[in-house]
Every structure is written in structure tokens, then in C-alpha cells.
Amino acid sequence: MRAAIYARVSTADQAMEGTSIDTQLDSCRSYVNAKSWDLVDTFVDEGVSGAKDTRPGLDRLLTACRVGQVDVMVVSKLDRFSRSLRHLVNTFSELDQLGVSFASITESFDSSTSTGRMLRSMLGTFAEFERDRITERMVEGLRAIAARGYWPGGPAPYGYQIVDADDGTKHKTLAINTEEADVLRLVVDLMVNHGYTTYRAATYLNDHEIRTRQGKLWWHPNLRHQVRKPHLTGEWTYKQGGRPIKLEIPAILSPDEWDRLQAAIKGAPRPQRKQRLYPLTGRGRVHLHCQCGGNFTGMVRKEKNRAYYTCARAHDSWGKFRCPHLPRTIQAEPLEQDVWDKVVAVLTDPDTLTELAADHITESTAGYDSATTTRQRRELEAPIGRINKQRIRIVRDLADQDRLDILDSAIGQIDAELADLNRQLEQLKALQRASTEGHLTAKKLRALADTARQRLQHPTPELMASVFDVLQIDLHRVNGNHFQGTATLPIPTKDSWLDILPAAGEVHTKVPQRLTPLLPR
């Protein structure tokens, strides 16, 4: 039998009760040796409650059981394994399915027998009952401490610190933390006397290198939460285990200051979010991509009234992944103007447009020969015509013979051959069209450059958005504020080539054959 030992302790006080980690391990090792089992490994959880379903040591032990490395699990006492009946039932059910036995030294039972499994369930019930009683006694003790005017435990609220009681007992009380209280009074002064919002007050604290208790920057929801707590006027409330208990503590603010502060918070202006069109993203368009794989979205910082692009994965709430690249927000107007300048520089330069078009046509018509292509088209059109006639004849004959049940199988091979020939024919036609259009492209692109100079001088966000959409801008952040990407330019057709440069407010979705790249990588 391959045995694994599990030991757990939740508090340092249990070391004095004979349940220390070393005591548990020693007794379990002696038990394993007496049984002549092979000890595979020991798993320990220190300072973890037995009511928790997930614990680092226990999780590793269960993984070892699932992969077949353990035959029997050994604990010194059942409540060391768990104090939750639900957790015990679920875990033991899984262990039984895996064929892993459970042995408790103190209770002297082995789950390999039916009697041991019954005893195991009964002891699990008592373990959970004992945990609940411990919790109740602990809460009752804390309530008694709070009722006597002492601090019942836990971290002190911001603005206060825990000190020894001045009556000579071992209990604690709260005293004002001068440094933190001064920060709260500064915030009150900024909001009440100078009209600051919590956002501006947080910015003021950060700009003057005033940090939170943990040494971090202030975030305005956190600051707002701190200045709305009523205990700042000298009365803290303990709410655990029954009716709230009022505890008198030193006051940081007077009741009048508190009332004026709450009125200032309630009356602080809340500007509406500015409506803005983001040419590079939003409303179905996504032209900006981050290094982390997320897309940029538009946002307006209300306090600064300034537009930004921000990575959609910039916040911790995005699953378990947060964008690691900085900055996570980029000012919108400089980025839009930079992209627009590059687009205009290309669209208004006929030489650049002609060169790009020539490269595209040369690439798409490589190896093109007019006579050869014409001959190949004829060679394809003749068999396509014969196969179509053959297909019609087969369908008619099978219909006359009332054999429609074999129609699909009879013409399936013919349709496959026909589809392959039609595909080859379309490729030849596209090659001929590209060659024919190539002779007219230079003239059309020069006219396009003239139109661009007339229409793109005073862009609106709507004009930017429509042009970016037609050009299919695709930008990826390389680092910081630096983006690289490509765009595709529709080759103007005879009838609708002006559509690629819409007037302000117009949006055209027709995209003819594309020319790429427009922006250099």
C-alpha cells in the first residue's frame, strides 16, 4: 500500500493543544510504519482553515490520488482533514471512486470497511458542529470585548491606529493616526472649501506624493469610500453576530464638518460622458490592435474632458488576464492626426500611387501573355460546353427512365469536374482584366490625387472614419505609442472610383479590387 500523510493546523494556539504539524507527522509516520505501508509523500497546510474546500497542500494530495500515486490517505484526526461535512462527503465520494482508502489514527477507523465509512460520516458531522461552535464562541468573545469599549480585532480603519488600552489590561483601543488624519482633513478642505471632486482630490494627493497606507496611488472610488465612513465622527459599529454594538473612538471630524463633507460629495458635479466619434475604433470598426492581442476602444476622461484610446484588456476585470503593456491609454487626437497625415501624404502623391499600382499589377500579372491566355481560355471553354451538354442529357435520360434515385451519384463527378474547369476559367479572366486595367490605372490615380487634395484638407471625424474604413487601416502597437500597419487602396473603376474619397459625412462601403500596401510596414 502506498500511503500519503496529510497534516493541517489553522492557528498557532493549536501547537499548544497537541495538534502541531510536527506532532501530526510523527504520529502518522509511526502508524504507516506499523502497517508496513510505503510512505509516498507528506502534504501540509499551515495556517489554513479546515472549512475551506481548496487548500494548497490538500489540492496537491488529491492530484496525486487522481493520477494513481496513492492507495491510502493517512491523517492524525478527521478534523485535520476537513471541518465541513459537505466537503467531506464530496471528497470521500471521489476517493471511493478512485479506490483510495482513508485512515484516521485518533478515531481508529479505516474506510476500506463499511463500518469505517459509517464512522467516517458520523465524525464528519461532529467536526462541522465543533467548527460552528468554535466560531460562535469566538464571535461571542469579540462582541463582549466590543461591548466593553475595546477594539475587537482586525486592521484599524484609515485615520486610526491600534494601541494598548490605558487601563492596564491586555486589550486594545483605537487612537488617531496623526499622519492619516491630516490627509483626511486635507481632503475635506479641498472638497468643502475649494469645490474639488473626489477625482480631483485623489489627483492632488498623487501629484503631491501622498500615498495610501499600502504606499499605492490614490484611486478616486477608494478615496470616496474613505471620506463617506460615519466613524470619522467618533462612533464605530461592530456588526458581527447579532445587534450592532456602538464603540466610542476618537473623532477626526466634527458632526458639522461631516455634514458639510457629505453635502459636498452629493452636490459635486457629475459631467456627462462626452459623445465622440473615434475614427480608428468603435461603431463596428476596429483598426487598432494591442501587443497583448486585445483591441483598442475609445473613451473620454470626464475630468480632463480629453479623448483616449485604451486597450480593452487594461482592467483586472478582463478574465484572469491583464494587458502588461504600457501605456494602456493613448491620447486619441495626436494618434488620429498622425495616421491621417500618412494617409493624405500617399493619397495626394500621384507618383507614389502610380508606383504602388505598378507593383501591384506587375505582381498580379506575372508571366501574363495575351495570346497564351486567350488560347487557354478557348481550351477551357470548349470542354465546359461539352460537359454542360452531357450533364443535361444525363438528367433528361434518367428522368425518362424514372431513375431519379441515382441522379445525385450520376452527376456528382461531372459537377466536380465542371467546378474545377470554371475556377480555372475565372482565374484567366481575372488576369486579363488586371492587364487591361493596368493601362488605365496611371491616369485614374492622378485624378484620384487631385480629388484627394480638394477633399481631404479639412477633415472631420466622420470623414476620417469613412476614409479609414475604405482603406481598411490595420495598425498594431509595436511598443509604447508607436504603431505600424498596412492599408488597402481600392483601384478606381471607370464608374465609381470617386467613392473611395467620400465627402464629409458620407460613408461608402463599395470596395473594388484592392491595392496593398498603402502604409509601409
Side-chain angles (χ1 to χ4, degrees):
M1 294 284 285
R2 295 167 299 173
I5 297 174
Y6 178 75
R8 180 190 64 82
V9 65
S10 59
T11 64
D13 292 337
Q14 289 179 334
M16 296 182 295
E17 300 172 3
T19 57
S20 67
I21 294 295
D22 292 337
T23 302
Q24 295 177 52
L25 293 178
D26 290 341
S27 60
C28 289
R29 289 192 184 101
S30 300
Y31 183 84
V32 170
N33 292 333
K35 290 285 188 177
S36 299
W37 292 339
D38 294 330
L39 180 59
V40 176
D41 202 352
T42 59
F43 301 87
V44 174
D45 280 316
E46 194 164 1
V48 183
S49 171
K52 292 186 176 181
D53 294 352
T54 300
R55 294 166 243 157
L58 179 60
D59 292 342
R60 292 194 300 270
L61 172 57
L62 293 177
T63 300
C65 294
R66 292 171 184 134
V67 299
Q69 297 177 354
V70 177
D71 297 321
V72 58
M73 186 186 303
V74 181
V75 297
S76 64
K77 192 176 179 180
L78 185 63
D79 61 9
R80 298 300 90 206
F81 181 74
S82 179
R83 286 185 178 272
S84 169
L85 180 59
R86 176 187 56 80
H87 179 237
L88 281 172
V89 171
N90 293 336
T91 305
F92 287 153
S93 176
E94 181 180 5
L95 292 178
D96 292 341
Q97 293 178 1
L98 294 173
V100 178
S101 300
F102 186 91
S104 172
I105 301 173
T106 306
E107 289 90 4
S108 300
F109 73 85
D110 189 335
S111 66
S112 60
T113 65
S114 58
T115 303
R117 287 191 291 272
M118 180 189 69
L119 182 59
R120 181 184 65 185
S121 300
M122 294 174 60
L123 292 175
T125 304
F126 288 121
E128 183 175 42
F129 173 74
E130 183 181 359
R131 175 180 63 85
D132 293 340
R133 287 295 300 153
I134 292 174
T135 302
E136 291 174 0
R137 288 195 295 267
M138 180 185 67
V139 172
E140 289 173 1
L142 294 178
R143 287 180 59 83
I145 293 174
R148 294 168 58 187
Y150 299 114
W151 180 247
Y158 188 82
Y160 295 88
Q161 60 187 2
I162 301 175
V163 298
D164 294 330
D166 55 7
D167 56 2
T169 63
K170 64 177 182 178
H171 297 298
K172 306 292 183 180
T173 59
L174 288 185
I176 292 178
N177 183 310
T178 305
E179 183 178 349
E180 294 180 353
D182 289 343
V183 173
L184 293 174
R185 293 189 183 103
L186 173 61
V187 173
V188 173
D189 179 64
L190 292 174
M191 297 187 66
V192 173
N193 300 324
H194 298 85
Y196 275 47
T197 61
T198 50
Y199 183 92
R200 289 185 62 193
T203 303
Y204 180 91
L205 296 179
N206 294 332
D207 291 343
H208 288 76
E209 298 185 356
I210 301 174
R211 301 293 184 253
T212 66
R213 178 180 292 177
Q214 292 76 25
K216 298 181 180 180
L217 294 174
W218 283 99
W219 191 37
H220 70 95
N222 179 33
L223 182 61
R224 183 184 180 90
H225 177 68
Q226 295 295 342
V227 297
R228 288 177 65 96
K229 291 184 175 180
H231 64 250
L232 297 177
T233 58
E235 187 176 76
W236 185 81
T237 304
Y238 183 72
K239 301 179 181 179
Q240 298 294 327
R243 295 180 59 184
I245 299 176
K246 302 296 183 179
L247 179 65
E248 296 295 329
I249 62 175
I252 296 178
L253 302 177
S254 66
D256 181 61
E257 289 175 324
W258 165 260
D259 292 338
R260 288 190 288 129
L261 173 62
Q262 302 313 305
I265 295 174
K266 185 177 180 180
R270 295 175 177 268
Q272 297 296 320
R273 183 177 294 276
K274 180 181 178 182
Q275 297 297 320
R276 185 184 190 274
L277 175 65
Y278 293 86
L280 289 170
T281 186
R283 299 186 184 179
R285 63 177 63 88
V286 179
H287 298 306
L288 293 181
H289 311 279
C290 186
Q291 293 165 276
C292 70
N295 297 323
F296 280 85
T297 58
M299 60 169 286
V300 172
R301 298 253 321 250
K302 294 185 291 184
E303 298 290 338
K304 294 186 177 182
N305 200 25
R306 185 179 296 170
Y308 290 84
Y309 288 100
T310 180
C311 178
R313 299 179 176 180
H315 305 289
D316 292 319
S317 58
W318 195 90
K320 296 183 179 180
F321 178 85
R322 186 180 186 187
C323 176
H325 305 288
L326 299 175
R328 296 190 179 98
T329 57
I330 300 172
Q331 288 192 30
E333 294 181 2
L335 178 60
E336 294 165 356
Q337 190 62 47
D338 184 45
V339 177
W340 181 255
D341 290 343
K342 288 179 171 59
V343 168
V344 172
V346 174
L347 291 181
T348 57
D349 185 356
D351 295 334
T352 301
L353 291 175
T354 304
E355 181 180 355
L356 291 172
D359 293 341
H360 169 71
I361 293 171
T362 300
E363 180 181 351
S364 61
T365 60
Y368 171 77
D369 179 76
S370 178
T372 303
T373 304
T374 302
R375 186 183 71 255
Q376 292 174 344
R377 282 191 58 177
R378 291 174 181 173
E379 292 176 352
L380 288 173
E381 289 170 349
I384 289 175
R386 289 197 305 271
I387 293 174
N388 277 324
K389 292 179 181 179
Q390 181 182 3
R391 187 179 187 280
I392 294 173
R393 185 174 63 255
I394 291 175
V395 172
R396 184 172 59 248
D397 293 344
L398 291 177
D400 293 340
Q401 299 174 18
D402 197 19
R403 298 294 305 278
L404 296 180
D405 55 323
I406 64 171
L407 179 63
D408 290 341
S409 59
I411 67 173
Q413 184 176 357
I414 295 177
D415 286 345
E417 183 180 358
L418 190 61
D420 182 62
L421 293 175
N422 281 323
R423 184 168 55 253
Q424 297 179 41
L425 181 60
E426 287 301 320
Q427 292 176 353
L428 292 176
K429 290 180 179 180
L431 190 62
Q432 287 184 319
R433 286 196 301 269
S435 176
T436 303
E437 290 179 353
H439 299 293
L440 304 175
T441 299
K443 180 178 179 181
K444 290 186 290 185
L445 290 178
R446 290 188 178 278
L448 171 63
D450 292 337
T451 304
R453 280 191 290 270
Q454 297 173 8
R455 295 190 177 185
L456 305 183
Q457 294 302 317
H458 305 287
T460 63
E462 291 75 17
L463 178 58
M464 284 186 178
S466 59
V467 173
F468 291 160
D469 290 347
V470 171
L471 298 181
Q472 295 189 337
I473 300 289
D474 188 37
L475 300 176
H476 295 263
R477 181 161 70 168
V478 179
N479 53 64
N481 294 333
H482 182 54
F483 286 82
Q484 291 183 355
T486 60
T488 57
L489 174 65
I491 294 180
T493 62
K494 295 180 180 179
D495 301 326
S496 60
W497 67 272
L498 288 178
D499 287 351
I500 68 172
L501 290 181
E506 298 178 358
V507 176
H508 301 272
T509 58
K510 294 176 62 178
V511 182
Q513 187 178 3
R514 299 184 180 93
L515 173 65
T516 186
L518 173 64
L519 298 180
R521 288 190 179 274

